[in-house]
Amino acid sequence: MTMGLIGGILTLPFAPVRVTLWVGELIREQVEHQLYDPAVIRRQIEQLDEDRSAGRIAPAEADRQQRELIARLVRPVGRSEPTTATGRRQEG
């Protein structure tokens, strides 16, 4: 019991750092969710199609953005290279 109390007191100055790291991790998780969530990406592709149809975006720019969205959809979080459905690295 005494060791836990002493350890708590000694590590108290690091509490702001731990809280900052925890908040940073929560923010990172939310950003990854927005970037890689299939439902979010699907809505962005639908909006892009609407913008293209309405003439609010040039076809070339719409194609570029659509390729980026699809790349995010097929690239799992934490992977630097596209993979096949079985998780193997794509050759090419």
Side-chain angles (χ1 to χ4, degrees), residues 20-59:
T20 302
L21 291 174
W22 176 72
V23 170
E25 181 65 21
L26 288 176
I27 292 170
R28 184 189 63 77
E29 288 174 4
Q30 285 298 313
V31 168
E32 284 184 356
H33 173 74
Q34 289 296 314
L35 281 174
Y36 298 105
D37 182 271
V40 171
I41 294 171
R42 202 170 342 176
R43 284 192 299 273
Q44 290 173 335
I45 290 172
E46 290 169 1
Q47 182 63 48
L48 189 59
D49 287 341
E50 288 177 22
D51 291 345
R52 182 189 335 218
S53 296
R56 291 186 292 260
I57 188 169

Side-chain angles (χ1 to χ4, degrees), residues 32 36 70-84 87:
E32 284 184 356
Y36 298 105
I70 291 170
R72 285 192 347 228
L73 188 62
V74 298
R75 184 176 301 152
V77 176
R79 300 264 179 117
S80 60
E81 302 173 355
T83 59
T84 64

Side-chain angles (χ1 to χ4, degrees), residues 81-84 88-92:
E81 302 173 355
T83 59
T84 64
R88 293 188 205 142
R89 196 177 93 212
Q90 287 182 340
E91 299 298 322

